[in-house]
Amino acid sequence: MSDNLPPELISEEDIQARINDLAARISTDYAGQGEVVLIGVLKGAFIFLADLSRRLTVPRSIEFIAVSSYGSGSKSGAVRLVMDVRGNIEGKHVLIVEDIVDTGNTLNYLIGILKSHGPASIKTCTLLHKAGCAEVDVEIDYVGFGIGDEWVVGYGLDYAEQNRTLPYIGNVTPTD
Ligand code: IMP
Ligand code: MG
């Protein structure tokens, strides 16, 4: 990690408080429906998924899916499936857990892939949403924070694999 820490956009305290809210809402919404399968989108959602999943009060299990956009910096490209879910999600209630939704292309692609596995339902949850950046119309059921059109790092999110383990969300100026 670089010695120059990115300036703070959302504090650790604010993130944690918001996750409590989201966990309470999700727990209420899924109460009495049996198990919800939380599908974390690697790599960025791993920390959010860890915190969110431990605060739910409904039965839950954990799966991961990995996708990548072509490129390693801040330019978005074609979405590609790197790793599908391992468990059988047919007939299950699925909640996709994302770090951030920008253009919506990744989430849209993921919904398509997961629908083909025949779940009972699919809902979506993202910690961050870049308002005004949508290229595709995709429904997001649970949003942590809306942010502007800027590149953010920390709490799982990276820029060129840097700063994923910061406890807060900061912003950086991409150089590509
Ligand atoms: P979308 O397909 O344009 O919605 O972009 C979604 C994916 O791009 C996210 O899952 C992230 O992996 C990545 N991404 C978009 N914006 C940011 C950002 O500001 N910081 C880190 N990753 C981002
Ligand atoms: Mg992601």
Side-chain angles (χ1 to χ4, degrees):
M1 195 187 286
S2 113
D3 292 325
N4 302 322
L5 292 176
E8 184 176 279
L9 181 67
I10 307 172
S11 72
E12 183 176 2
E13 293 71 25
D14 287 351
I15 294 169
Q16 296 302 328
R18 189 71 183 127
I19 294 173
N20 285 340
D21 297 343
L22 290 174
R25 269 182 56 209
I26 292 167
S27 296
T28 302
D29 292 353
Y30 283 93
Q33 292 192 44
E35 182 182 273
V36 54
V37 183
L38 304 169
I39 302 186
V41 185
L42 294 173
K43 299 175 190 173
F46 80 113
I47 294 178
F48 177 42
L49 178 71
D51 283 346
L52 181 73
S53 61
R54 289 179 294 175
R55 292 177 207 178
L56 298 180
T57 57
V58 289
R60 64 274 191 192
S61 63
I62 307 292
E63 290 287 339
F64 287 103
I65 196 165
V67 288
S68 85
S69 287
Y70 184 74
S72 60
S74 68
K75 293 280 181 290
S76 172
V79 186
R80 184 168 66 86
L81 185 66
V82 174
M83 185 190 83
D84 205 343
V85 287
R86 286 210 199 164
N88 182 6
I89 60 166
E90 193 178 344
K92 306 254 179 80
H93 293 294
V94 160
L95 180 63
I96 302 174
V97 179
E98 253 289 26
D99 52 357
I100 186 164
V101 176
D102 181 354
T103 63
N105 284 311
T106 303
L107 195 55
N108 194 42
Y109 174 84
L110 284 169
I111 291 169
I113 298 258
L114 293 171
K115 266 190 183 156
S116 72
H117 292 299
S121 69
I122 300 186
K123 282 190 174 187
T124 54
C125 174
T126 186
L127 180 66
L128 304 172
H129 184 214
K130 286 190 193 176
C133 295
E135 285 177 9
V136 292
D137 191 19
V138 52
E139 195 174 328
I140 310 173
D141 299 286
Y142 306 98
V143 177
F145 301 90
I147 63 168
D149 187 7
E150 57 190 321
W151 198 264
V152 290
V153 295
Y155 201 71
L157 293 100
D158 75 309
Y159 174 61
E161 293 302 326
Q162 298 303 301
N163 288 312
R164 282 195 198 278
T165 56
L166 284 180
Y168 64 91
I169 301 286
N171 49 19
V172 294
T173 308
T175 52
D176 66 342

PDB file of all heavy atoms in Angstrom, residues 68-106:
ATOM      1  N   SER A  68     -14.705 -10.050 -14.496  1.00  0.00           N
ATOM      2  CA  SER A  68     -13.738  -8.978 -14.674  1.00  0.00           C
ATOM      3  C   SER A  68     -14.126  -8.168 -15.882  1.00  0.00           C
ATOM      4  O   SER A  68     -14.706  -8.676 -16.838  1.00  0.00           O
ATOM      5  CB  SER A  68     -12.318  -9.536 -14.811  1.00  0.00           C
ATOM      6  OG  SER A  68     -12.061  -9.889 -16.129  1.00  0.00           O
ATOM      7  N   SER A  69     -13.852  -6.881 -15.776  1.00  0.00           N
ATOM      8  CA  SER A  69     -13.962  -6.010 -16.929  1.00  0.00           C
ATOM      9  C   SER A  69     -12.574  -5.979 -17.539  1.00  0.00           C
ATOM     10  O   SER A  69     -11.588  -6.024 -16.815  1.00  0.00           O
ATOM     11  CB  SER A  69     -14.329  -4.590 -16.514  1.00  0.00           C
ATOM     12  OG  SER A  69     -15.661  -4.515 -16.103  1.00  0.00           O
ATOM     13  N   TYR A  70     -12.508  -5.942 -18.840  1.00  0.00           N
ATOM     14  CA  TYR A  70     -11.199  -5.901 -19.473  1.00  0.00           C
ATOM     15  C   TYR A  70     -10.433  -4.673 -19.001  1.00  0.00           C
ATOM     16  O   TYR A  70     -10.974  -3.586 -18.936  1.00  0.00           O
ATOM     17  CB  TYR A  70     -11.348  -5.860 -20.993  1.00  0.00           C
ATOM     18  CG  TYR A  70     -10.043  -5.903 -21.724  1.00  0.00           C
ATOM     19  CD1 TYR A  70      -9.326  -7.086 -21.798  1.00  0.00           C
ATOM     20  CD2 TYR A  70      -9.516  -4.763 -22.310  1.00  0.00           C
ATOM     21  CE1 TYR A  70      -8.123  -7.147 -22.450  1.00  0.00           C
ATOM     22  CE2 TYR A  70      -8.305  -4.817 -22.966  1.00  0.00           C
ATOM     23  CZ  TYR A  70      -7.604  -6.009 -23.035  1.00  0.00           C
ATOM     24  OH  TYR A  70      -6.398  -6.061 -23.668  1.00  0.00           O
ATOM     25  N   GLY A  71      -9.189  -4.862 -18.599  1.00  0.00           N
ATOM     26  CA  GLY A  71      -8.376  -3.727 -18.166  1.00  0.00           C
ATOM     27  C   GLY A  71      -8.159  -3.759 -16.673  1.00  0.00           C
ATOM     28  O   GLY A  71      -8.894  -4.390 -15.930  1.00  0.00           O
ATOM     29  N   SER A  72      -7.130  -3.065 -16.190  1.00  0.00           N
ATOM     30  CA  SER A  72      -6.783  -3.115 -14.776  1.00  0.00           C
ATOM     31  C   SER A  72      -6.941  -1.771 -14.091  1.00  0.00           C
ATOM     32  O   SER A  72      -6.801  -1.655 -12.892  1.00  0.00           O
ATOM     33  CB  SER A  72      -5.339  -3.582 -14.619  1.00  0.00           C
ATOM     34  OG  SER A  72      -4.482  -2.678 -15.270  1.00  0.00           O
ATOM     35  N   GLY A  73      -7.210  -0.731 -14.818  1.00  0.00           N
ATOM     36  CA  GLY A  73      -7.320   0.589 -14.221  1.00  0.00           C
ATOM     37  C   GLY A  73      -8.762   0.986 -14.022  1.00  0.00           C
ATOM     38  O   GLY A  73      -9.531   0.250 -13.417  1.00  0.00           O
ATOM     39  N   SER A  74      -9.147   2.123 -14.516  1.00  0.00           N
ATOM     40  CA  SER A  74     -10.488   2.630 -14.263  1.00  0.00           C
ATOM     41  C   SER A  74     -11.385   2.572 -15.492  1.00  0.00           C
ATOM     42  O   SER A  74     -12.514   3.016 -15.449  1.00  0.00           O
ATOM     43  CB  SER A  74     -10.406   4.073 -13.769  1.00  0.00           C
ATOM     44  OG  SER A  74      -9.954   4.909 -14.805  1.00  0.00           O
ATOM     45  N   LYS A  75     -10.882   2.025 -16.589  1.00  0.00           N
ATOM     46  CA  LYS A  75     -11.697   1.973 -17.801  1.00  0.00           C
ATOM     47  C   LYS A  75     -12.544   0.713 -17.799  1.00  0.00           C
ATOM     48  O   LYS A  75     -12.051  -0.381 -17.571  1.00  0.00           O
ATOM     49  CB  LYS A  75     -10.796   1.978 -19.049  1.00  0.00           C
ATOM     50  CG  LYS A  75     -10.040   3.291 -19.240  1.00  0.00           C
ATOM     51  CD  LYS A  75     -10.940   4.339 -19.870  1.00  0.00           C
ATOM     52  CE  LYS A  75     -10.203   5.650 -20.083  1.00  0.00           C
ATOM     53  NZ  LYS A  75      -9.894   6.337 -18.810  1.00  0.00           N
ATOM     54  N   SER A  76     -13.823   0.884 -18.054  1.00  0.00           N
ATOM     55  CA  SER A  76     -14.739  -0.234 -18.075  1.00  0.00           C
ATOM     56  C   SER A  76     -14.714  -0.874 -19.459  1.00  0.00           C
ATOM     57  O   SER A  76     -14.557  -0.201 -20.471  1.00  0.00           O
ATOM     58  CB  SER A  76     -16.133   0.286 -17.731  1.00  0.00           C
ATOM     59  OG  SER A  76     -17.077  -0.700 -17.902  1.00  0.00           O
ATOM     60  N   GLY A  77     -14.824  -2.203 -19.493  1.00  0.00           N
ATOM     61  CA  GLY A  77     -14.836  -2.887 -20.784  1.00  0.00           C
ATOM     62  C   GLY A  77     -15.890  -3.962 -20.802  1.00  0.00           C
ATOM     63  O   GLY A  77     -16.840  -3.917 -20.029  1.00  0.00           O
ATOM     64  N   ALA A  78     -15.717  -4.967 -21.676  1.00  0.00           N
ATOM     65  CA  ALA A  78     -16.677  -6.064 -21.741  1.00  0.00           C
ATOM     66  C   ALA A  78     -16.570  -6.895 -20.469  1.00  0.00           C
ATOM     67  O   ALA A  78     -15.481  -7.158 -19.983  1.00  0.00           O
ATOM     68  CB  ALA A  78     -16.381  -6.922 -22.957  1.00  0.00           C
ATOM     69  N   VAL A  79     -17.720  -7.309 -19.926  1.00  0.00           N
ATOM     70  CA  VAL A  79     -17.728  -8.098 -18.705  1.00  0.00           C
ATOM     71  C   VAL A  79     -17.519  -9.567 -19.071  1.00  0.00           C
ATOM     72  O   VAL A  79     -18.085 -10.073 -20.032  1.00  0.00           O
ATOM     73  CB  VAL A  79     -19.067  -7.936 -17.953  1.00  0.00           C
ATOM     74  CG1 VAL A  79     -19.015  -8.639 -16.605  1.00  0.00           C
ATOM     75  CG2 VAL A  79     -19.395  -6.467 -17.760  1.00  0.00           C
ATOM     76  N   ARG A  80     -16.709 -10.247 -18.289  1.00  0.00           N
ATOM     77  CA  ARG A  80     -16.351 -11.636 -18.564  1.00  0.00           C
ATOM     78  C   ARG A  80     -16.501 -12.429 -17.269  1.00  0.00           C
ATOM     79  O   ARG A  80     -16.106 -11.950 -16.197  1.00  0.00           O
ATOM     80  CB  ARG A  80     -14.901 -11.625 -19.028  1.00  0.00           C
ATOM     81  CG  ARG A  80     -14.282 -12.888 -19.464  1.00  0.00           C
ATOM     82  CD  ARG A  80     -12.936 -12.559 -20.159  1.00  0.00           C
ATOM     83  NE  ARG A  80     -11.975 -11.986 -19.224  1.00  0.00           N
ATOM     84  CZ  ARG A  80     -11.168 -12.705 -18.451  1.00  0.00           C
ATOM     85  NH1 ARG A  80     -11.224 -14.019 -18.481  1.00  0.00           N
ATOM     86  NH2 ARG A  80     -10.313 -12.122 -17.630  1.00  0.00           N
ATOM     87  N   LEU A  81     -17.072 -13.637 -17.361  1.00  0.00           N
ATOM     88  CA  LEU A  81     -17.207 -14.496 -16.177  1.00  0.00           C
ATOM     89  C   LEU A  81     -15.877 -15.192 -15.911  1.00  0.00           C
ATOM     90  O   LEU A  81     -15.352 -15.884 -16.778  1.00  0.00           O
ATOM     91  CB  LEU A  81     -18.307 -15.538 -16.403  1.00  0.00           C
ATOM     92  CG  LEU A  81     -18.636 -16.434 -15.211  1.00  0.00           C
ATOM     93  CD1 LEU A  81     -19.238 -15.629 -14.067  1.00  0.00           C
ATOM     94  CD2 LEU A  81     -19.584 -17.554 -15.623  1.00  0.00           C
ATOM     95  N   VAL A  82     -15.349 -14.989 -14.707  1.00  0.00           N
ATOM     96  CA  VAL A  82     -14.069 -15.608 -14.333  1.00  0.00           C
ATOM     97  C   VAL A  82     -14.327 -16.864 -13.503  1.00  0.00           C
ATOM     98  O   VAL A  82     -13.637 -17.858 -13.627  1.00  0.00           O
ATOM     99  CB  VAL A  82     -13.198 -14.601 -13.545  1.00  0.00           C
ATOM    100  CG1 VAL A  82     -11.941 -15.255 -13.011  1.00  0.00           C
ATOM    101  CG2 VAL A  82     -12.850 -13.403 -14.430  1.00  0.00           C
ATOM    102  N   MET A  83     -15.333 -16.813 -12.635  1.00  0.00           N
ATOM    103  CA  MET A  83     -15.674 -17.972 -11.794  1.00  0.00           C
ATOM    104  C   MET A  83     -17.164 -17.935 -11.480  1.00  0.00           C
ATOM    105  O   MET A  83     -17.665 -16.942 -10.961  1.00  0.00           O
ATOM    106  CB  MET A  83     -14.878 -17.915 -10.487  1.00  0.00           C
ATOM    107  CG  MET A  83     -15.077 -19.133  -9.600  1.00  0.00           C
ATOM    108  SD  MET A  83     -14.361 -18.889  -7.965  1.00  0.00           S
ATOM    109  CE  MET A  83     -15.687 -17.997  -7.144  1.00  0.00           C
ATOM    110  N   ASP A  84     -17.842 -19.022 -11.789  1.00  0.00           N
ATOM    111  CA  ASP A  84     -19.288 -19.102 -11.495  1.00  0.00           C
ATOM    112  C   ASP A  84     -19.489 -19.558 -10.042  1.00  0.00           C
ATOM    113  O   ASP A  84     -18.527 -19.973  -9.387  1.00  0.00           O
ATOM    114  CB  ASP A  84     -19.948 -20.095 -12.465  1.00  0.00           C
ATOM    115  CG  ASP A  84     -21.434 -19.812 -12.674  1.00  0.00           C
ATOM    116  OD1 ASP A  84     -22.031 -19.074 -11.860  1.00  0.00           O
ATOM    117  OD2 ASP A  84     -22.006 -20.330 -13.648  1.00  0.00           O
ATOM    118  N   VAL A  85     -20.724 -19.485  -9.541  1.00  0.00           N
ATOM    119  CA  VAL A  85     -20.997 -19.992  -8.192  1.00  0.00           C
ATOM    120  C   VAL A  85     -20.777 -21.504  -8.173  1.00  0.00           C
ATOM    121  O   VAL A  85     -20.974 -22.178  -9.170  1.00  0.00           O
ATOM    122  CB  VAL A  85     -22.444 -19.667  -7.730  1.00  0.00           C
ATOM    123  CG1 VAL A  85     -22.595 -18.206  -7.400  1.00  0.00           C
ATOM    124  CG2 VAL A  85     -23.476 -20.093  -8.767  1.00  0.00           C
ATOM    125  N   ARG A  86     -20.364 -22.019  -7.024  1.00  0.00           N
ATOM    126  CA  ARG A  86     -20.120 -23.457  -6.904  1.00  0.00           C
ATOM    127  C   ARG A  86     -21.361 -24.206  -6.465  1.00  0.00           C
ATOM    128  O   ARG A  86     -21.620 -25.318  -6.887  1.00  0.00           O
ATOM    129  CB  ARG A  86     -19.044 -23.718  -5.857  1.00  0.00           C
ATOM    130  CG  ARG A  86     -17.697 -23.366  -6.328  1.00  0.00           C
ATOM    131  CD  ARG A  86     -16.696 -24.274  -5.634  1.00  0.00           C
ATOM    132  NE  ARG A  86     -15.384 -23.684  -5.717  1.00  0.00           N
ATOM    133  CZ  ARG A  86     -14.373 -24.061  -4.960  1.00  0.00           C
ATOM    134  NH1 ARG A  86     -14.545 -24.991  -4.056  1.00  0.00           N
ATOM    135  NH2 ARG A  86     -13.201 -23.498  -5.106  1.00  0.00           N
ATOM    136  N   GLY A  87     -22.102 -23.627  -5.532  1.00  0.00           N
ATOM    137  CA  GLY A  87     -23.262 -24.311  -4.973  1.00  0.00           C
ATOM    138  C   GLY A  87     -24.444 -24.279  -5.932  1.00  0.00           C
ATOM    139  O   GLY A  87     -24.478 -23.493  -6.877  1.00  0.00           O
ATOM    140  N   ASN A  88     -25.417 -25.145  -5.662  1.00  0.00           N
ATOM    141  CA  ASN A  88     -26.635 -25.181  -6.464  1.00  0.00           C
ATOM    142  C   ASN A  88     -27.605 -24.129  -5.925  1.00  0.00           C
ATOM    143  O   ASN A  88     -28.033 -24.220  -4.779  1.00  0.00           O
ATOM    144  CB  ASN A  88     -27.237 -26.592  -6.370  1.00  0.00           C
ATOM    145  CG  ASN A  88     -28.478 -26.721  -7.223  1.00  0.00           C
ATOM    146  OD1 ASN A  88     -28.828 -25.798  -7.968  1.00  0.00           O
ATOM    147  ND2 ASN A  88     -29.146 -27.855  -7.117  1.00  0.00           N
ATOM    148  N   ILE A  89     -27.949 -23.138  -6.732  1.00  0.00           N
ATOM    149  CA  ILE A  89     -28.851 -22.080  -6.267  1.00  0.00           C
ATOM    150  C   ILE A  89     -30.259 -22.231  -6.841  1.00  0.00           C
ATOM    151  O   ILE A  89     -31.096 -21.352  -6.667  1.00  0.00           O
ATOM    152  CB  ILE A  89     -28.289 -20.670  -6.568  1.00  0.00           C
ATOM    153  CG1 ILE A  89     -28.082 -20.469  -8.070  1.00  0.00           C
ATOM    154  CG2 ILE A  89     -27.007 -20.426  -5.787  1.00  0.00           C
ATOM    155  CD1 ILE A  89     -27.863 -19.004  -8.455  1.00  0.00           C
ATOM    156  N   GLU A  90     -30.515 -23.335  -7.494  1.00  0.00           N
ATOM    157  CA  GLU A  90     -31.839 -23.561  -8.077  1.00  0.00           C
ATOM    158  C   GLU A  90     -32.893 -23.565  -6.965  1.00  0.00           C
ATOM    159  O   GLU A  90     -32.737 -24.228  -5.940  1.00  0.00           O
ATOM    160  CB  GLU A  90     -31.867 -24.901  -8.815  1.00  0.00           C
ATOM    161  CG  GLU A  90     -33.093 -25.054  -9.689  1.00  0.00           C
ATOM    162  CD  GLU A  90     -33.082 -26.366 -10.467  1.00  0.00           C
ATOM    163  OE1 GLU A  90     -32.023 -27.008 -10.567  1.00  0.00           O
ATOM    164  OE2 GLU A  90     -34.165 -26.737 -10.950  1.00  0.00           O
ATOM    165  N   GLY A  91     -33.948 -22.765  -7.160  1.00  0.00           N
ATOM    166  CA  GLY A  91     -35.039 -22.696  -6.189  1.00  0.00           C
ATOM    167  C   GLY A  91     -34.719 -21.904  -4.930  1.00  0.00           C
ATOM    168  O   GLY A  91     -35.530 -21.859  -4.004  1.00  0.00           O
ATOM    169  N   LYS A  92     -33.554 -21.268  -4.880  1.00  0.00           N
ATOM    170  CA  LYS A  92     -33.156 -20.526  -3.673  1.00  0.00           C
ATOM    171  C   LYS A  92     -33.372 -19.019  -3.860  1.00  0.00           C
ATOM    172  O   LYS A  92     -33.374 -18.503  -4.977  1.00  0.00           O
ATOM    173  CB  LYS A  92     -31.665 -20.769  -3.390  1.00  0.00           C
ATOM    174  CG  LYS A  92     -31.271 -22.240  -3.294  1.00  0.00           C
ATOM    175  CD  LYS A  92     -31.015 -22.631  -1.859  1.00  0.00           C
ATOM    176  CE  LYS A  92     -30.643 -24.077  -1.695  1.00  0.00           C
ATOM    177  NZ  LYS A  92     -29.238 -24.338  -2.008  1.00  0.00           N
ATOM    178  N   HIS A  93     -33.486 -18.329  -2.730  1.00  0.00           N
ATOM    179  CA  HIS A  93     -33.534 -16.863  -2.762  1.00  0.00           C
ATOM    180  C   HIS A  93     -32.106 -16.337  -2.787  1.00  0.00           C
ATOM    181  O   HIS A  93     -31.315 -16.631  -1.884  1.00  0.00           O
ATOM    182  CB  HIS A  93     -34.282 -16.328  -1.546  1.00  0.00           C
ATOM    183  CG  HIS A  93     -35.737 -16.680  -1.552  1.00  0.00           C
ATOM    184  ND1 HIS A  93     -36.611 -16.182  -2.499  1.00  0.00           N
ATOM    185  CD2 HIS A  93     -36.467 -17.510  -0.762  1.00  0.00           C
ATOM    186  CE1 HIS A  93     -37.819 -16.671  -2.279  1.00  0.00           C
ATOM    187  NE2 HIS A  93     -37.763 -17.488  -1.231  1.00  0.00           N
ATOM    188  N   VAL A  94     -31.808 -15.569  -3.819  1.00  0.00           N
ATOM    189  CA  VAL A  94     -30.437 -15.104  -4.049  1.00  0.00           C
ATOM    190  C   VAL A  94     -30.353 -13.594  -3.853  1.00  0.00           C
ATOM    191  O   VAL A  94     -31.210 -12.848  -4.337  1.00  0.00           O
ATOM    192  CB  VAL A  94     -30.017 -15.475  -5.495  1.00  0.00           C
ATOM    193  CG1 VAL A  94     -28.849 -14.635  -5.972  1.00  0.00           C
ATOM    194  CG2 VAL A  94     -29.681 -16.957  -5.590  1.00  0.00           C
ATOM    195  N   LEU A  95     -29.330 -13.163  -3.128  1.00  0.00           N
ATOM    196  CA  LEU A  95     -29.043 -11.735  -2.995  1.00  0.00           C
ATOM    197  C   LEU A  95     -27.620 -11.486  -3.489  1.00  0.00           C
ATOM    198  O   LEU A  95     -26.650 -11.980  -2.899  1.00  0.00           O
ATOM    199  CB  LEU A  95     -29.195 -11.282  -1.536  1.00  0.00           C
ATOM    200  CG  LEU A  95     -28.911  -9.804  -1.259  1.00  0.00           C
ATOM    201  CD1 LEU A  95     -29.892  -8.889  -2.007  1.00  0.00           C
ATOM    202  CD2 LEU A  95     -28.968  -9.508   0.238  1.00  0.00           C
ATOM    203  N   ILE A  96     -27.510 -10.763  -4.593  1.00  0.00           N
ATOM    204  CA  ILE A  96     -26.186 -10.420  -5.125  1.00  0.00           C
ATOM    205  C   ILE A  96     -25.620  -9.270  -4.292  1.00  0.00           C
ATOM    206  O   ILE A  96     -26.297  -8.263  -4.076  1.00  0.00           O
ATOM    207  CB  ILE A  96     -26.282  -9.967  -6.608  1.00  0.00           C
ATOM    208  CG1 ILE A  96     -26.909 -11.059  -7.474  1.00  0.00           C
ATOM    209  CG2 ILE A  96     -24.902  -9.579  -7.144  1.00  0.00           C
ATOM    210  CD1 ILE A  96     -27.174 -10.625  -8.926  1.00  0.00           C
ATOM    211  N   VAL A  97     -24.390  -9.429  -3.815  1.00  0.00           N
ATOM    212  CA  VAL A  97     -23.759  -8.397  -2.990  1.00  0.00           C
ATOM    213  C   VAL A  97     -22.563  -7.819  -3.751  1.00  0.00           C
ATOM    214  O   VAL A  97     -21.561  -8.501  -3.985  1.00  0.00           O
ATOM    215  CB  VAL A  97     -23.314  -8.977  -1.627  1.00  0.00           C
ATOM    216  CG1 VAL A  97     -22.648  -7.903  -0.781  1.00  0.00           C
ATOM    217  CG2 VAL A  97     -24.519  -9.575  -0.884  1.00  0.00           C
ATOM    218  N   GLU A  98     -22.711  -6.570  -4.149  1.00  0.00           N
ATOM    219  CA  GLU A  98     -21.692  -5.877  -4.954  1.00  0.00           C
ATOM    220  C   GLU A  98     -21.026  -4.766  -4.138  1.00  0.00           C
ATOM    221  O   GLU A  98     -21.620  -4.228  -3.198  1.00  0.00           O
ATOM    222  CB  GLU A  98     -22.365  -5.234  -6.177  1.00  0.00           C
ATOM    223  CG  GLU A  98     -22.087  -5.916  -7.493  1.00  0.00           C
ATOM    224  CD  GLU A  98     -20.673  -5.743  -8.000  1.00  0.00           C
ATOM    225  OE1 GLU A  98     -19.752  -5.534  -7.184  1.00  0.00           O
ATOM    226  OE2 GLU A  98     -20.481  -5.821  -9.221  1.00  0.00           O
ATOM    227  N   ASP A  99     -19.816  -4.416  -4.531  1.00  0.00           N
ATOM    228  CA  ASP A  99     -19.141  -3.279  -3.910  1.00  0.00           C
ATOM    229  C   ASP A  99     -19.687  -1.965  -4.464  1.00  0.00           C
ATOM    230  O   ASP A  99     -20.011  -1.047  -3.718  1.00  0.00           O
ATOM    231  CB  ASP A  99     -17.617  -3.358  -4.096  1.00  0.00           C
ATOM    232  CG  ASP A  99     -17.176  -3.565  -5.545  1.00  0.00           C
ATOM    233  OD1 ASP A  99     -18.045  -3.716  -6.443  1.00  0.00           O
ATOM    234  OD2 ASP A  99     -15.960  -3.573  -5.789  1.00  0.00           O
ATOM    235  N   ILE A 100     -19.791  -1.886  -5.778  1.00  0.00           N
ATOM    236  CA  ILE A 100     -20.190  -0.617  -6.399  1.00  0.00           C
ATOM    237  C   ILE A 100     -20.869  -0.872  -7.742  1.00  0.00           C
ATOM    238  O   ILE A 100     -20.486  -1.796  -8.464  1.00  0.00           O
ATOM    239  CB  ILE A 100     -18.955   0.310  -6.558  1.00  0.00           C
ATOM    240  CG1 ILE A 100     -19.340   1.695  -7.058  1.00  0.00           C
ATOM    241  CG2 ILE A 100     -17.870  -0.323  -7.431  1.00  0.00           C
ATOM    242  CD1 ILE A 100     -18.235   2.742  -6.870  1.00  0.00           C
ATOM    243  N   VAL A 101     -21.881  -0.094  -8.023  1.00  0.00           N
ATOM    244  CA  VAL A 101     -22.512  -0.128  -9.348  1.00  0.00           C
ATOM    245  C   VAL A 101     -22.249   1.209 -10.016  1.00  0.00           C
ATOM    246  O   VAL A 101     -22.553   2.267  -9.463  1.00  0.00           O
ATOM    247  CB  VAL A 101     -24.030  -0.402  -9.249  1.00  0.00           C
ATOM    248  CG1 VAL A 101     -24.670  -0.340 -10.639  1.00  0.00           C
ATOM    249  CG2 VAL A 101     -24.297  -1.758  -8.603  1.00  0.00           C
ATOM    250  N   ASP A 102     -21.638   1.133 -11.194  1.00  0.00           N
ATOM    251  CA  ASP A 102     -21.259   2.329 -11.947  1.00  0.00           C
ATOM    252  C   ASP A 102     -22.166   2.408 -13.184  1.00  0.00           C
ATOM    253  O   ASP A 102     -23.264   2.974 -13.121  1.00  0.00           O
ATOM    254  CB  ASP A 102     -19.760   2.206 -12.288  1.00  0.00           C
ATOM    255  CG  ASP A 102     -19.189   3.387 -13.051  1.00  0.00           C
ATOM    256  OD1 ASP A 102     -19.950   4.280 -13.443  1.00  0.00           O
ATOM    257  OD2 ASP A 102     -17.964   3.418 -13.266  1.00  0.00           O
ATOM    258  N   THR A 103     -21.762   1.786 -14.284  1.00  0.00           N
ATOM    259  CA  THR A 103     -22.613   1.795 -15.483  1.00  0.00           C
ATOM    260  C   THR A 103     -23.791   0.826 -15.355  1.00  0.00           C
ATOM    261  O   THR A 103     -24.766   0.938 -16.093  1.00  0.00           O
ATOM    262  CB  THR A 103     -21.809   1.357 -16.728  1.00  0.00           C
ATOM    263  OG1 THR A 103     -21.363   0.008 -16.541  1.00  0.00           O
ATOM    264  CG2 THR A 103     -20.616   2.272 -16.961  1.00  0.00           C
ATOM    265  N   GLY A 104     -23.669  -0.161 -14.469  1.00  0.00           N
ATOM    266  CA  GLY A 104     -24.707  -1.188 -14.325  1.00  0.00           C
ATOM    267  C   GLY A 104     -24.451  -2.406 -15.193  1.00  0.00           C
ATOM    268  O   GLY A 104     -25.149  -3.418 -15.076  1.00  0.00           O
ATOM    269  N   ASN A 105     -23.437  -2.343 -16.058  1.00  0.00           N
ATOM    270  CA  ASN A 105     -23.178  -3.464 -16.971  1.00  0.00           C
ATOM    271  C   ASN A 105     -22.838  -4.755 -16.228  1.00  0.00           C
ATOM    272  O   ASN A 105     -23.308  -5.830 -16.600  1.00  0.00           O
ATOM    273  CB  ASN A 105     -22.034  -3.116 -17.943  1.00  0.00           C
ATOM    274  CG  ASN A 105     -22.496  -2.164 -19.030  1.00  0.00           C
ATOM    275  OD1 ASN A 105     -23.526  -2.381 -19.661  1.00  0.00           O
ATOM    276  ND2 ASN A 105     -21.754  -1.092 -19.241  1.00  0.00           N
ATOM    277  N   THR A 106     -22.013  -4.656 -15.185  1.00  0.00           N
ATOM    278  CA  THR A 106     -21.612  -5.853 -14.445  1.00  0.00           C
ATOM    279  C   THR A 106     -22.820  -6.500 -13.774  1.00  0.00           C
ATOM    280  O   THR A 106     -23.045  -7.713 -13.895  1.00  0.00           O
ATOM    281  CB  THR A 106     -20.551  -5.506 -13.381  1.00  0.00           C
ATOM    282  OG1 THR A 106     -19.446  -4.884 -14.035  1.00  0.00           O
ATOM    283  CG2 THR A 106     -20.086  -6.733 -12.631  1.00  0.00           C
TER     284      THR A 106
END
